[in-house]
Amino acid sequence: MKNTMLDHEKQIRDYERTIAQLKEQNKVNGIWTDEEIVKLENKLEKLKHQVYSHLTPWERVMICRHAQRPRSVDYIKNLCESFTEIFGDRLFRDDHSIVTGLAMIGGKKFVIIAQEKGCDTDSRLFRNFGMPHPEGYRKALRAMKLAEKFHLPVLSFLDTPGAYPGLTAEERGQGVAIATNLLEMARLKTPVIIVLIGEGCSGGALGMGVGDIVGMLEHAYYSVISPEGCASILWHDAAKNEIAAEALRMHAEDLLEFGVIDKIIEEPQGGAHHNPKVVYENVKKFILKERERLTKIPLDELLESRYQKFRKLGAISIAETSQ
């Protein structure tokens, strides 16, 4: 796939091309010394640090939506020693935007439920751009109930712009399907590990996001609505998405402060698409560490802790004022 350059990376790409051209010229003429080339490369690293350490919330959204950002199927392929996929919800049909199955990671057994967007035109159409129908949530629930029956931890990868909002989804009970998952995940008698790898929009993400530990990649975002949707509602102008992205405070460091997530998983400089292997390794370490910790907690304590974790979300305290 051709590399897609983001606006904030143009200066970096120009600098990289210049250095590459100078190295090619040096093979013929030898005008530039090795020391001069090294100085230019050091300047490039400083430029990268300057650009990537001062990203705006909207620029981070663009990183999160990058065409080459690893998807759920990439994590499954690179993390699992084995994976046996489960299809269908046993009621209507198979929802291709949800991938479920039995997996082995680091020699440990899991049941995986994952939201999948696709990586090119054909696969995005096949996956419905990662927007699940009701049967997708029921399929995920079916897999989770298998995990509970066989005492296997659930691993959920979140990456969706939201549940499918079309008429057919509403006719088949989209809201009920999501609400049922929220209830069932809250009381599922097995450890549940959530990893937010990309977009996490609204109930579409939360319908597979109730768990004991929530890890979030550095440049993912988690919000009740997309920046464009927020801008359209508040200002009737989707072009104000940059303002909305900042106001929503939907990135990892904000959500960690609010207690919405529990752990920030680091990405390589510039985003996961720059070095996916690093991200796979970081995610794998997080999953295996949390699996070991959660499986040692008594089940009644685990369920109560999970309930309290989500019960407290959105809680506010009102300071007493003197009359």
Side-chain angles (χ1 to χ4, degrees):
M1 185 185 293
K2 207 170 183 179
N3 188 43
T4 304
M5 179 171 55
L6 300 174
D7 288 344
H8 62 267
E9 294 179 317
K10 288 180 180 178
Q11 188 179 1
I12 294 172
R13 291 291 178 267
D14 290 341
Y15 216 109
E16 287 176 337
R17 290 193 194 100
T18 299
I19 292 176
Q21 289 172 358
L22 293 176
K23 287 182 177 179
E24 285 298 317
Q25 291 175 0
N26 253 17
K27 292 178 181 178
V28 179
N29 299 322
I31 298 174
W32 296 79
T33 65
D34 291 341
E35 289 78 10
E36 289 173 320
I37 295 293
V38 169
K39 286 182 180 179
L40 291 174
E41 290 176 334
N42 290 336
K43 287 183 179 179
L44 173 60
E45 289 305 312
K46 289 180 180 178
L47 176 61
K48 286 182 178 180
H49 177 75
Q50 180 181 354
V51 170
Y52 292 134
S53 62
H54 294 87
L55 293 168
T56 67
W58 179 248
E59 286 170 341
R60 294 177 70 182
V61 171
M62 291 294 96
I63 291 174
C64 179
R65 295 176 179 173
H66 195 281
Q68 291 177 287
R69 188 175 180 85
R71 308 297 186 197
S72 291
V73 292
D74 298 314
Y75 285 92
I76 291 171
K77 180 180 178 181
N78 287 277
L79 266 60
C80 301
E81 293 96 55
S82 65
F83 180 73
T84 303
E85 190 167 356
I86 298 170
F87 299 92
D89 68 337
R90 297 278 177 87
L91 288 172
F92 185 67
R93 68 173 183 184
D94 186 48
D95 187 337
H96 302 136
S97 67
I98 302 295
V99 179
T100 63
L102 305 169
M104 188 79 75
I105 302 176
K108 304 296 183 180
K109 296 177 181 178
F110 293 85
V111 168
I112 290 179
I113 58 174
Q115 298 168 333
E116 172 58 34
K117 288 180 175 179
C119 61
D120 54 29
T121 301
D122 290 340
S123 63
R124 285 174 189 143
L125 289 170
F126 179 72
R127 302 290 187 183
N128 198 37
F129 299 89
M131 296 185 289
H133 288 77
E135 52 269 24
Y137 292 102
R138 288 192 283 261
K139 173 182 172 181
L141 180 57
R142 177 190 163 211
M144 288 187 281
K145 284 298 184 180
L146 281 175
E148 182 180 56
K149 180 178 180 179
F150 294 107
H151 309 290
L152 300 174
V154 172
L155 172 58
S156 179
F157 289 111
L158 303 185
D159 187 15
T160 178
Y164 182 61
L167 179 61
T168 55
E170 294 300 325
E171 288 175 336
R172 295 199 296 276
Q174 185 74 285
V176 173
I178 292 173
T180 299
N181 275 26
L182 297 179
L183 174 64
E184 293 296 337
M185 291 189 81
R187 61 189 185 188
L188 197 69
K189 295 178 181 178
T190 194
V192 182
I193 301 170
I194 310 295
V195 182
L196 208 153
I197 61 172
E199 294 183 281
C201 278
S202 194
L206 193 58
M208 289 171 54
V210 178
D212 302 297
I213 183 80
V214 181
M216 181 176 180
L217 290 189
E218 185 180 351
H219 294 303
Y221 77 85
Y222 204 10
S223 175
V224 70
I225 194 171
S226 69
E228 295 91 336
C230 176
S232 296
I233 292 172
L234 292 184
W235 299 290
H236 305 286
D237 183 3
K240 291 188 176 180
N241 45 30
E242 295 187 34
I243 299 173
E246 183 174 359
L248 284 167
R249 297 191 67 185
M250 57 190 184
H251 288 102
E253 60 276 6
D254 294 315
L255 299 176
L256 184 65
E257 178 186 343
F258 298 148
V260 175
I261 67 167
D262 305 294
K263 175 74 175 179
I264 299 174
I265 303 172
E266 289 186 4
E267 298 186 30
Q269 189 179 57
H273 58 284
H274 283 288
N275 194 343
K277 289 184 179 179
V278 171
V279 180
Y280 299 145
E281 186 60 31
N282 290 345
V283 170
K284 185 175 182 178
K285 287 179 181 177
F286 168 77
I287 292 168
L288 294 177
K289 179 181 178 181
E290 293 304 325
R291 184 194 189 280
E292 183 179 3
R293 181 181 69 84
L294 293 172
T295 51
K296 294 177 181 177
I297 301 174
L299 189 57
D300 56 344
E301 291 182 21
L302 190 73
L303 293 176
E304 179 62 20
S305 176
R306 186 190 306 163
Y307 172 78
Q308 292 298 335
K309 172 182 173 58
F310 283 85
R311 187 70 180 86
K312 292 175 182 177
L313 293 184
I316 60 171
S317 60
I318 302 176
E320 294 184 5
T321 57
S322 58
Q323 298 296 326

